[in-house]
mmCIF file of all heavy atoms in Angstrom:
data_model
loop_
_atom_site.group_PDB
_atom_site.id
_atom_site.type_symbol
_atom_site.label_atom_id
_atom_site.label_comp_id
_atom_site.label_asym_id
_atom_site.label_seq_id
_atom_site.Cartn_x
_atom_site.Cartn_y
_atom_site.Cartn_z
ATOM 1 N N LEU B 32 -28.581 21.986 2.167
ATOM 2 C CA LEU B 32 -28.159 23.387 2.034
ATOM 3 C C LEU B 32 -26.682 23.397 1.655
ATOM 4 O O LEU B 32 -25.876 22.738 2.311
ATOM 5 C CB LEU B 32 -28.349 24.109 3.379
ATOM 6 C CG LEU B 32 -27.787 25.532 3.461
ATOM 7 C CD1 LEU B 32 -28.590 26.488 2.570
ATOM 8 C CD2 LEU B 32 -27.785 26.040 4.899
ATOM 9 N N ILE B 110 -30.911 23.336 -1.733
ATOM 10 C CA ILE B 110 -31.025 24.771 -1.466
ATOM 11 C C ILE B 110 -29.604 25.326 -1.503
ATOM 12 O O ILE B 110 -28.783 24.957 -0.664
ATOM 13 C CB ILE B 110 -31.631 25.002 -0.059
ATOM 14 C CG1 ILE B 110 -32.965 24.267 0.088
ATOM 15 C CG2 ILE B 110 -31.770 26.492 0.241
ATOM 16 C CD1 ILE B 110 -33.330 23.965 1.553
ATOM 17 N N LEU B 181 -37.343 31.134 -0.978
ATOM 18 C CA LEU B 181 -37.237 31.045 0.484
ATOM 19 C C LEU B 181 -38.389 30.221 1.058
ATOM 20 O O LEU B 181 -38.195 29.400 1.955
ATOM 21 C CB LEU B 181 -37.241 32.459 1.076
ATOM 22 C CG LEU B 181 -36.826 32.567 2.535
ATOM 23 C CD1 LEU B 181 -35.416 32.016 2.759
ATOM 24 C CD2 LEU B 181 -36.892 34.022 3.001
ATOM 25 N N ARG B 182 -39.581 30.414 0.497
ATOM 26 C CA ARG B 182 -40.752 29.630 0.957
ATOM 27 C C ARG B 182 -40.489 28.139 0.736
ATOM 28 O O ARG B 182 -40.692 27.317 1.626
ATOM 29 C CB ARG B 182 -42.012 30.075 0.197
ATOM 30 C CG ARG B 182 -43.307 29.463 0.731
ATOM 31 C CD ARG B 182 -44.456 29.563 -0.254
ATOM 32 N NE ARG B 182 -44.245 28.802 -1.481
ATOM 33 C CZ ARG B 182 -44.291 27.474 -1.578
ATOM 34 N NH1 ARG B 182 -44.558 26.739 -0.519
ATOM 35 N NH2 ARG B 182 -44.081 26.872 -2.733
ATOM 36 N N GLN B 183 -40.012 27.812 -0.453
ATOM 37 C CA GLN B 183 -39.735 26.393 -0.760
ATOM 38 C C GLN B 183 -38.644 25.832 0.159
ATOM 39 O O GLN B 183 -38.709 24.687 0.590
ATOM 40 C CB GLN B 183 -39.276 26.247 -2.205
ATOM 41 C CG GLN B 183 -40.388 26.377 -3.217
ATOM 42 C CD GLN B 183 -39.862 26.056 -4.628
ATOM 43 O OE1 GLN B 183 -39.084 25.150 -4.841
ATOM 44 N NE2 GLN B 183 -40.299 26.837 -5.590
ATOM 45 N N ALA B 184 -37.641 26.657 0.444
ATOM 46 C CA ALA B 184 -36.528 26.202 1.293
ATOM 47 C C ALA B 184 -37.019 25.886 2.704
ATOM 48 O O ALA B 184 -36.701 24.829 3.266
ATOM 49 C CB ALA B 184 -35.435 27.268 1.329
ATOM 50 N N TYR B 185 -37.824 26.780 3.285
ATOM 51 C CA TYR B 185 -38.345 26.530 4.637
ATOM 52 C C TYR B 185 -39.266 25.314 4.653
ATOM 53 O O TYR B 185 -39.195 24.486 5.559
ATOM 54 C CB TYR B 185 -39.081 27.768 5.176
ATOM 55 C CG TYR B 185 -38.131 28.731 5.868
ATOM 56 C CD1 TYR B 185 -37.797 29.941 5.289
ATOM 57 C CD2 TYR B 185 -37.555 28.402 7.096
ATOM 58 C CE1 TYR B 185 -36.905 30.808 5.902
ATOM 59 C CE2 TYR B 185 -36.662 29.260 7.708
ATOM 60 C CZ TYR B 185 -36.341 30.461 7.111
ATOM 61 O OH TYR B 185 -35.456 31.305 7.727
ATOM 62 N N ALA B 186 -40.132 25.211 3.633
ATOM 63 C CA ALA B 186 -41.066 24.083 3.585
ATOM 64 C C ALA B 186 -40.277 22.769 3.505
ATOM 65 O O ALA B 186 -40.614 21.787 4.185
ATOM 66 C CB ALA B 186 -42.015 24.230 2.398
ATOM 67 N N ALA B 187 -39.215 22.743 2.704
ATOM 68 C CA ALA B 187 -38.408 21.519 2.563
ATOM 69 C C ALA B 187 -37.693 21.198 3.873
ATOM 70 O O ALA B 187 -37.607 20.035 4.277
ATOM 71 C CB ALA B 187 -37.402 21.689 1.427
ATOM 72 N N ALA B 188 -37.178 22.227 4.554
ATOM 73 C CA ALA B 188 -36.484 22.002 5.839
ATOM 74 C C ALA B 188 -37.466 21.449 6.872
ATOM 75 O O ALA B 188 -37.122 20.576 7.669
ATOM 76 C CB ALA B 188 -35.854 23.299 6.328
ATOM 77 N N GLU B 189 -38.699 21.956 6.847
ATOM 78 C CA GLU B 189 -39.707 21.504 7.826
ATOM 79 C C GLU B 189 -40.135 20.054 7.567
ATOM 80 O O GLU B 189 -40.429 19.316 8.486
ATOM 81 C CB GLU B 189 -40.935 22.433 7.775
ATOM 82 C CG GLU B 189 -40.664 23.774 8.443
ATOM 83 C CD GLU B 189 -41.701 24.832 8.074
ATOM 84 O OE1 GLU B 189 -42.762 24.480 7.517
ATOM 85 O OE2 GLU B 189 -41.426 26.023 8.322
ATOM 86 N N ARG B 190 -40.166 19.644 6.282
ATOM 87 C CA ARG B 190 -40.628 18.294 5.927
ATOM 88 C C ARG B 190 -39.521 17.240 6.003
ATOM 89 O O ARG B 190 -39.789 16.052 6.086
ATOM 90 C CB ARG B 190 -41.100 18.277 4.462
ATOM 91 C CG ARG B 190 -42.440 18.861 4.183
ATOM 92 C CD ARG B 190 -42.894 18.437 2.781
ATOM 93 N NE ARG B 190 -41.901 18.570 1.735
ATOM 94 C CZ ARG B 190 -41.743 19.645 0.958
ATOM 95 N NH1 ARG B 190 -42.523 20.688 1.107
ATOM 96 N NH2 ARG B 190 -40.821 19.680 0.008
ATOM 97 N N ALA B 191 -38.250 17.698 5.939
ATOM 98 C CA ALA B 191 -37.145 16.753 5.705
ATOM 99 C C ALA B 191 -36.965 15.760 6.845
ATOM 100 O O ALA B 191 -36.975 16.134 8.020
ATOM 101 C CB ALA B 191 -35.842 17.529 5.493
ATOM 102 N N PHE B 194 -31.415 16.074 6.615
ATOM 103 C CA PHE B 194 -31.005 17.400 6.147
ATOM 104 C C PHE B 194 -29.477 17.466 6.183
ATOM 105 O O PHE B 194 -28.855 17.153 7.198
ATOM 106 C CB PHE B 194 -31.594 18.480 7.068
ATOM 107 C CG PHE B 194 -31.369 19.885 6.564
ATOM 108 C CD1 PHE B 194 -32.384 20.575 5.909
ATOM 109 C CD2 PHE B 194 -30.144 20.532 6.737
ATOM 110 C CE1 PHE B 194 -32.179 21.871 5.430
ATOM 111 C CE2 PHE B 194 -29.929 21.820 6.250
ATOM 112 C CZ PHE B 194 -30.959 22.492 5.614
ATOM 113 N N GLN B 204 -27.805 34.866 7.543
ATOM 114 C CA GLN B 204 -29.242 34.580 7.655
ATOM 115 C C GLN B 204 -29.958 35.065 6.394
ATOM 116 O O GLN B 204 -29.482 35.956 5.720
ATOM 117 C CB GLN B 204 -29.822 35.299 8.890
ATOM 118 C CG GLN B 204 -29.275 34.796 10.197
ATOM 119 C CD GLN B 204 -29.657 33.346 10.509
ATOM 120 O OE1 GLN B 204 -30.462 32.740 9.812
ATOM 121 N NE2 GLN B 204 -29.057 32.790 11.542
ATOM 122 N N PRO B 205 -31.100 34.488 6.034
ATOM 123 C CA PRO B 205 -31.801 33.447 6.793
ATOM 124 C C PRO B 205 -31.329 32.018 6.504
ATOM 125 O O PRO B 205 -31.774 31.098 7.187
ATOM 126 C CB PRO B 205 -33.251 33.629 6.348
ATOM 127 C CG PRO B 205 -33.180 34.180 4.972
ATOM 128 C CD PRO B 205 -31.937 35.021 4.909
ATOM 129 N N ALA B 206 -30.422 31.830 5.515
ATOM 130 C CA ALA B 206 -30.026 30.456 5.150
ATOM 131 C C ALA B 206 -29.518 29.677 6.367
ATOM 132 O O ALA B 206 -29.818 28.489 6.527
ATOM 133 C CB ALA B 206 -28.953 30.505 4.060
ATOM 134 N N ALA B 207 -28.766 30.375 7.236
ATOM 135 C CA ALA B 207 -28.140 29.687 8.368
ATOM 136 C C ALA B 207 -29.157 29.082 9.331
ATOM 137 O O ALA B 207 -28.820 28.189 10.110
ATOM 138 C CB ALA B 207 -27.227 30.666 9.109
ATOM 139 N N SER B 208 -30.404 29.577 9.287
ATOM 140 C CA SER B 208 -31.400 29.046 10.226
ATOM 141 C C SER B 208 -32.038 27.748 9.704
ATOM 142 O O SER B 208 -32.705 27.045 10.461
ATOM 143 C CB SER B 208 -32.489 30.092 10.495
ATOM 144 O OG SER B 208 -33.254 30.281 9.324
ATOM 145 N N LEU B 209 -31.836 27.425 8.413
ATOM 146 C CA LEU B 209 -32.524 26.255 7.834
ATOM 147 C C LEU B 209 -32.158 24.931 8.520
ATOM 148 O O LEU B 209 -33.051 24.135 8.817
ATOM 149 C CB LEU B 209 -32.270 26.186 6.320
ATOM 150 C CG LEU B 209 -32.974 27.297 5.521
ATOM 151 C CD1 LEU B 209 -32.408 27.384 4.107
ATOM 152 C CD2 LEU B 209 -34.484 27.053 5.460
ATOM 153 N N PRO B 210 -30.852 24.676 8.820
ATOM 154 C CA PRO B 210 -30.551 23.418 9.528
ATOM 155 C C PRO B 210 -31.223 23.365 10.904
ATOM 156 O O PRO B 210 -31.634 22.300 11.349
ATOM 157 C CB PRO B 210 -29.022 23.440 9.672
ATOM 158 C CG PRO B 210 -28.535 24.452 8.699
ATOM 159 C CD PRO B 210 -29.644 25.423 8.467
ATOM 160 N N LEU B 211 -31.341 24.509 11.558
ATOM 161 C CA LEU B 211 -31.956 24.544 12.896
ATOM 162 C C LEU B 211 -33.457 24.280 12.799
ATOM 163 O O LEU B 211 -34.019 23.555 13.601
ATOM 164 C CB LEU B 211 -31.702 25.899 13.582
ATOM 165 C CG LEU B 211 -30.247 26.371 13.567
ATOM 166 C CD1 LEU B 211 -30.104 27.736 14.225
ATOM 167 C CD2 LEU B 211 -29.357 25.360 14.295
ATOM 168 N N VAL B 212 -34.083 24.877 11.777
ATOM 169 C CA VAL B 212 -35.511 24.633 11.542
ATOM 170 C C VAL B 212 -35.734 23.144 11.290
ATOM 171 O O VAL B 212 -36.623 22.518 11.861
ATOM 172 C CB VAL B 212 -36.017 25.472 10.339
ATOM 173 C CG1 VAL B 212 -37.403 25.029 9.898
ATOM 174 C CG2 VAL B 212 -36.008 26.953 10.680
ATOM 175 N N ALA B 213 -34.880 22.562 10.439
ATOM 176 C CA ALA B 213 -35.012 21.141 10.109
ATOM 177 C C ALA B 213 -34.895 20.297 11.376
ATOM 178 O O ALA B 213 -35.683 19.390 11.618
ATOM 179 C CB ALA B 213 -33.945 20.737 9.085
ATOM 180 N N LYS B 214 -33.901 20.627 12.209
ATOM 181 C CA LYS B 214 -33.682 19.846 13.441
ATOM 182 C C LYS B 214 -34.893 19.958 14.358
ATOM 183 O O LYS B 214 -35.382 18.963 14.890
ATOM 184 C CB LYS B 214 -32.417 20.375 14.126
ATOM 185 C CG LYS B 214 -32.022 19.667 15.410
ATOM 186 C CD LYS B 214 -31.028 18.557 15.143
ATOM 187 C CE LYS B 214 -30.777 17.640 16.334
ATOM 188 N NZ LYS B 214 -30.090 18.277 17.449
ATOM 189 N N GLN B 215 -35.394 21.198 14.528
ATOM 190 C CA GLN B 215 -36.565 21.392 15.405
ATOM 191 C C GLN B 215 -37.776 20.611 14.908
ATOM 192 O O GLN B 215 -38.611 20.188 15.682
ATOM 193 C CB GLN B 215 -36.937 22.876 15.485
ATOM 194 C CG GLN B 215 -36.139 23.620 16.531
ATOM 195 C CD GLN B 215 -36.134 25.132 16.267
ATOM 196 O OE1 GLN B 215 -36.892 25.628 15.436
ATOM 197 N NE2 GLN B 215 -35.272 25.839 16.968
ATOM 198 N N CYS B 216 -37.851 20.445 13.575
ATOM 199 C CA CYS B 216 -39.007 19.732 13.016
ATOM 200 C C CYS B 216 -38.752 18.234 12.924
ATOM 201 O O CYS B 216 -39.527 17.513 12.306
ATOM 202 C CB CYS B 216 -39.356 20.305 11.648
ATOM 203 S SG CYS B 216 -39.955 21.989 11.740
ATOM 204 N N GLY B 217 -37.638 17.763 13.479
ATOM 205 C CA GLY B 217 -37.426 16.321 13.599
ATOM 206 C C GLY B 217 -36.453 15.707 12.612
ATOM 207 O O GLY B 217 -36.274 14.489 12.612
ATOM 208 N N ALA B 218 -35.807 16.523 11.771
ATOM 209 C CA ALA B 218 -34.858 15.929 10.796
ATOM 210 C C ALA B 218 -33.583 15.466 11.491
ATOM 211 O O ALA B 218 -33.197 15.993 12.540
ATOM 212 C CB ALA B 218 -34.505 16.959 9.730
ATOM 213 N N TYR B 219 -32.929 14.490 10.870
ATOM 214 C CA TYR B 219 -31.577 14.086 11.258
ATOM 215 C C TYR B 219 -30.646 15.002 10.471
ATOM 216 O O TYR B 219 -30.676 15.027 9.238
ATOM 217 C CB TYR B 219 -31.366 12.619 10.885
ATOM 218 C CG TYR B 219 -30.108 12.012 11.439
ATOM 219 C CD1 TYR B 219 -30.040 11.634 12.776
ATOM 220 C CD2 TYR B 219 -28.995 11.800 10.634
ATOM 221 C CE1 TYR B 219 -28.890 11.056 13.295
ATOM 222 C CE2 TYR B 219 -27.838 11.227 11.145
ATOM 223 C CZ TYR B 219 -27.797 10.857 12.476
ATOM 224 O OH TYR B 219 -26.656 10.283 12.987
ATOM 225 N N VAL B 220 -29.847 15.820 11.183
ATOM 226 C CA VAL B 220 -29.061 16.858 10.503
ATOM 227 C C VAL B 220 -27.572 16.474 10.465
ATOM 228 O O VAL B 220 -26.977 16.129 11.488
ATOM 229 C CB VAL B 220 -29.254 18.238 11.187
ATOM 230 C CG1 VAL B 220 -28.424 19.304 10.494
ATOM 231 C CG2 VAL B 220 -30.730 18.625 11.180
ATOM 232 N N ILE B 230 -23.178 25.889 13.855
ATOM 233 C CA ILE B 230 -24.203 24.836 13.995
ATOM 234 C C ILE B 230 -23.591 23.467 14.348
ATOM 235 O O ILE B 230 -24.325 22.528 14.651
ATOM 236 C CB ILE B 230 -25.109 24.703 12.738
ATOM 237 C CG1 ILE B 230 -24.320 24.202 11.523
ATOM 238 C CG2 ILE B 230 -25.836 26.001 12.430
ATOM 239 C CD1 ILE B 230 -25.236 23.659 10.412
ATOM 240 N N MET B 233 -24.877 21.453 17.324
ATOM 241 C CA MET B 233 -26.270 20.980 17.395
ATOM 242 C C MET B 233 -26.646 19.941 16.336
ATOM 243 O O MET B 233 -27.750 19.426 16.346
ATOM 244 C CB MET B 233 -27.268 22.152 17.405
ATOM 245 C CG MET B 233 -27.216 23.148 16.263
ATOM 246 S SD MET B 233 -27.670 22.566 14.625
ATOM 247 C CE MET B 233 -29.325 22.018 14.911
#
Side-chain angles (χ1 to χ4, degrees):
L32 172 69
I110 305 156
L181 193 59
R182 188 197 64 73
Q183 285 187 40
Y185 273 108
E189 285 164 14
R190 283 195 314 268
F194 187 100
Q204 295 294 352
S208 68
L209 290 166
L211 311 178
V212 168
K214 181 94 191 292
Q215 275 159 12
C216 293
Y219 190 77
V220 179
I230 66 163
M233 56 67 59

